[in-house]
Structures are given as C-alpha cells and as structure tokens.
Amino acid sequence: MSCVVASLRPATGLDWSARAGGLEWDCWHAAEHVGDCLMSFAGQLVARPEKRFVCFVANADKDASPAEVLEFVEVAGRLLAATVRTSGPDVRAYHPTGQADPEGFAAMGCAETLLHGDDIAQGLGLALRPPRDVCARVLARLFPESARELAGVDPWAALRWSTGRIELPGRPRSPEWRWRGAPLGE
C-alpha cells in the first residue's frame, strides 16, 4: 500500500474527476472504493461471519479532497494491516471466493490497492511501479495456477493479466476472473 500512496500523493493537486484507467469510476471514487474494501476486509476478520459480509459501507466524506480520500485509503490499509497482525492464522471469515484467512484478506487488500492504484495512476497520467516481490506474493496467494503457469513473466504483468487488465503474448485478456480467498491448503 505504501508504494501506491507514495506514488499518488504528489498527484493530489491534479483532477481526480478523471476516469480511472479502464474503470467506469473516476480517480476519486476508485480511491474511495479501495478504502471501503480495506475497511470491509478488516471488518470481516473482526466479526468472522461464516456466510455473509458484515453490513456496513465505508465512504470518504463527499467533500473530501484528493489528499483526504488518499488519507482514507491509507488509514483503511493500516487498519487492515493491524487486524491481520492481531488475527490468528486459524481465523476464517466469509468471502465469496472462499472462507478467507488473515493472509487471504491481506492479499486481497494488496490486490485491490495495487490494481486500483494503477487505475488511478493511469487516470492521472502516471505510472505505478509496485515492488515485484509483493506482486509475486499476491499472485501466488490469490492466483496459484497463474503463478505456476506464468513463472517466467514479470509478476506485476502476471497479476494484471490474472485480473483481466492486460493481454500477455499468446494470452488474450480475460473478461472473467476469480481469485482464491480460501487458504491454499483448504
């Protein structure tokens, strides 16, 4: 998350009403979505429901500046990180892609932040260059088959391909994808 915030912070003076990459959201709303996802993942780990999402939505204030909505993302990311650190490895909570453990929610949070951070960066005319080791770990946790099949491919490109964002040589862009929330051994 820190690489995304650090990349976007200098751009908070730009127009965040620009469309975020290939999304239908503008940059401001894409950032708000990331904050909501991160807060929701933390909420799942705290409440530990088995068959549903915890019923709440986290929103940035409608008058928040780009800097303030980015702060919302950073706070939400830190709350998820703290929740992951204080949840035991045996904790499970509902996610449509499987009863997720803290590691799964952390990986999903990283994926949401990296991918939508890239969408925002594109909308603002910037390039996001996330740490490849983080991309490789997220890919291996959420898309183990892709991680094996694409072992020689740049992990950032492999993660974007696995989520339908780009084509790779000999591999068309996938319109449908699904990551794995449940632990790999379950």
Side-chain angles (χ1 to χ4, degrees):
M1 178 192 58
S2 59
C3 73
V4 172
V5 171
S7 295
L8 298 178
R9 186 170 281 128
T12 56
L14 299 177
D15 180 9
W16 282 48
S17 68
R19 186 173 173 179
L23 302 178
E24 299 203 8
W25 292 319
D26 62 23
C27 294
W28 192 97
H29 286 93
E32 181 184 50
H33 168 75
V34 173
D36 175 48
C37 286
L38 300 174
M39 294 281 272
S40 294
F41 293 161
Q44 289 302 101
L45 284 170
V46 170
R48 302 177 189 172
E50 293 182 18
K51 298 181 181 178
R52 62 177 170 72
F53 276 112
V54 174
C55 293
F56 77 90
V57 176
N59 296 101
D61 185 86
K62 66 180 178 67
D63 296 322
S65 68
E68 291 166 335
V69 78
L70 190 58
E71 179 182 54
F72 171 64
V73 170
E74 188 170 23
V75 167
R78 288 181 182 188
L79 288 171
L80 175 58
T83 305
V84 166
R85 278 193 302 275
T86 59
S87 297
D90 58 329
V91 169
R92 298 292 182 275
Y94 174 81
H95 190 273
T97 62
Q99 290 295 107
D101 60 347
E103 180 184 79
F105 280 112
M108 288 184 275
C110 286
E112 290 283 349
T113 304
L114 291 170
L115 295 163
H116 289 312
D118 186 50
D119 296 328
I120 296 165
Q122 288 176 36
L124 299 172
L126 306 171
L128 183 68
R129 292 178 178 79
R132 295 319 196 251
D133 63 319
V134 172
C135 297
R137 289 194 314 267
V138 170
L139 182 70
R141 177 57 178 81
L142 298 178
F143 300 98
E145 297 82 20
S146 291
R148 284 189 296 275
E149 290 175 26
L150 303 172
V153 175
D154 172 73
W156 177 226
L159 182 59
R160 289 183 293 154
W161 177 82
S162 297
T163 55
R165 283 176 157 69
I166 63 170
E167 290 183 4
L168 289 175
R171 295 175 186 268
R173 185 177 181 163
S174 175
E176 294 184 25
W177 55 271
R178 185 174 170 100
W179 60 39
R180 179 185 173 91
L184 299 179
E186 294 177 14

